[in-house]
Amino acid sequence: MELHHVIEAQQFDLPMIHHLFEVAAEMEKLVARGGTDEYRHRLMATLFYEPSTRTRFSFEAAMHRLGGRVISTENAAEFSSVAKGETLEDTIRIMNGYVDVIVLRHSEVGTAKRAAAVSRVPIINAGDGVGQHPSQALLDLYTIHKEIGSIDGLKIAMVGDLAQGRTVRSLAYLLSKFKDTRMYFVAPPLLKMKEDILEHLRERGSWFTEETTLDRVLPEVDVVYQTRVQKERFGDRIGDYESCRGIYIINQDSLRLMKSNAIIMHPLPRLEEIAMEVDQDRRAAYFRQAQNGLFVRMALLTVLLSH
Ligand code: CP
């Protein structure tokens, strides 16, 4: 199956999603065997203008596990020639002469699309501001598929910063492709899911509801997808941030309300929104979810580099 760039979740159809699940499962076995050197002639650049732990390290680990090589800069905003005024487009044109694939994270919505417009080599959107994070949504789906076995018919609560959370935006697009999924968007009014996503769901006939009380939703759902209220997106609106943080905290009381076979997910990093005591519960899937990022990103790289 062919894939050129990874820009937004909508671009993935069900056959491609299932293909990536199959390849990710193979990658899991490959990692257990110590990896491969098959991609030793391939070079990947990670160009991150925003901080990251999981996305950057899992993409870099993925390329290394495939036998490929990686070049990077610790902070592209500071240490690339953008600091001297170079445009993103020129940076991408230059990187095209050096590498086979570029993983790009940026604070502005639409940056990955702009990069793809001038790039011969695949661009992977590793998060564009409050836009999208498609590889995260793919690993989220893979986690649900692995943990629960099926995605059709599931009830999924997305909780917290839905207005500024690129992971939940991408995940909503992907979930809308499956049969009879029910999405519960739980957020304070300031952080509710944006209208463009709700409109997309209406057009597709996907079921969703908007809630402000988490405890009402917990007994119903199969997946609780918790998110961090992202202080860095509020700018000088500190009062708004303070009024939104700490409203939804998953703790022992929440566990008592949840189904025994439900799972808790989080794209991470987490702050106060999941109490540490929850980590010991088998329903806490967020660390397994983060590890799945390695397998799914290996799968994405193999598909992107296969033609
Ligand atoms: N989930 C996620 O994108 O984490 P990082 O910001 O650490 O990459």
Side-chain angles (χ1 to χ4, degrees):
M1 280 197 169
E2 280 217 0
L3 188 62
H4 191 40
H5 300 292
V6 175
I7 305 301
E8 55 191 13
Q10 308 88 300
Q11 75 182 80
F12 291 91
D13 58 18
L14 284 178
M16 177 57 88
I17 291 168
H18 287 301
H19 177 63
L20 286 168
F21 285 1
E22 281 168 23
V23 181
E26 285 167 24
M27 293 299 132
E28 209 160 331
K29 292 183 202 142
L30 186 70
V31 170
R33 294 198 300 271
T36 175
D37 67 351
E38 200 182 331
Y39 289 80
R40 62 191 172 281
H41 300 304
R42 297 306 193 107
L43 190 53
M44 179 182 87
T46 48
L47 204 52
F48 277 53
Y49 295 79
E50 276 192 339
S52 167
T53 299
R54 278 144 292 274
T55 312
R56 178 167 166 193
F57 285 122
S58 62
F59 264 118
E60 294 188 357
M63 195 58 175
H64 284 295
R65 294 283 187 189
L66 291 167
R69 285 166 289 172
V70 178
I71 58 172
S72 191
T73 169
E74 201 50 50
N75 172 355
E78 190 179 351
F79 297 124
S80 76
S81 284
V82 163
K84 303 176 211 163
E86 183 169 68
T87 64
L88 173 86
E89 281 80 0
D90 276 0
T91 302
I92 297 297
R93 286 185 185 106
I94 298 303
M95 298 302 288
N96 263 246
Y98 304 153
V99 299
D100 302 302
V101 55
I102 298 169
V103 185
L104 174 68
R105 171 170 287 189
H106 203 282
S107 55
E108 283 171 31
V109 177
T111 317
K113 206 175 262 183
R114 275 173 52 204
V118 297
S119 186
R120 280 180 290 105
V121 306
I123 298 289
I124 302 177
N125 180 3
D128 60 334
V130 297
Q132 286 216 32
H133 196 348
S135 67
Q136 175 73 45
L138 289 166
L139 78 88
D140 293 341
L141 269 195
Y142 182 64
T143 300
I144 297 171
H145 164 77
K146 261 178 79 178
E147 298 270 334
I148 301 183
S150 160
I151 295 164
D152 292 333
L154 287 186
K155 297 176 178 176
I156 298 111
M158 299 187 208
V159 184
D161 192 347
L162 308 186
Q164 305 172 124
R166 55 196 175 199
T167 69
V168 284
R169 290 172 55 77
S170 291
L171 184 58
Y173 276 122
L174 287 191
L175 286 170
S176 74
K177 295 172 187 285
F178 288 80
K179 226 188 306 164
D180 299 329
T181 51
R182 290 181 165 233
M183 290 175 241
Y184 298 69
F185 298 127
V186 184
L190 264 180
L191 298 182
K192 69 195 283 290
M193 185 58 94
K194 289 262 174 63
E195 192 55 34
D196 62 330
I197 299 289
L198 303 184
E199 192 50 39
H200 175 82
L201 298 180
R202 283 185 204 105
E203 277 168 16
R204 288 194 66 89
S206 298
W207 189 99
F208 71 88
T209 184
E210 294 184 277
E211 293 274 354
T212 52
T213 309
L214 178 59
D215 285 358
R216 224 176 19 228
V217 167
L218 286 177
E220 276 190 49
V221 298
D222 305 294
V223 178
V224 180
Y225 191 100
Q226 175 68 297
T227 65
R228 173 177 66 95
V229 177
Q230 299 175 74
K231 187 177 186 183
E232 68 273 22
R233 307 269 180 229
F234 283 83
D236 57 6
R237 295 182 298 122
I238 298 300
D240 284 349
Y241 169 68
E242 290 297 340
S243 72
C244 291
R245 62 176 282 208
I247 298 176
Y248 308 116
I249 295 180
I250 298 181
N251 54 23
Q252 287 289 357
D253 294 336
S254 321
L255 291 174
R256 278 188 277 277
L257 290 173
M258 286 175 59
K259 291 182 186 175
S260 60
N261 57 351
I263 59 169
I264 303 164
M265 298 175 66
H266 192 310
L268 306 178
R270 64 131 165 230
L271 299 180
E272 62 198 346
E273 64 278 357
I274 300 182
M276 300 286 174
E277 68 209 25
V278 173
D279 297 358
Q280 312 311 320
D281 193 284
R282 65 187 160 74
R283 290 169 288 182
Y286 30 92
F287 295 124
R288 299 190 291 274
Q289 176 188 356
Q291 197 191 10
N292 288 333
L294 173 66
F295 311 130
V296 169
R297 286 169 175 139
M298 287 175 78
L300 274 175
L301 287 171
T302 61
V303 174
L304 285 166
L305 294 173
S306 67
H307 55 89

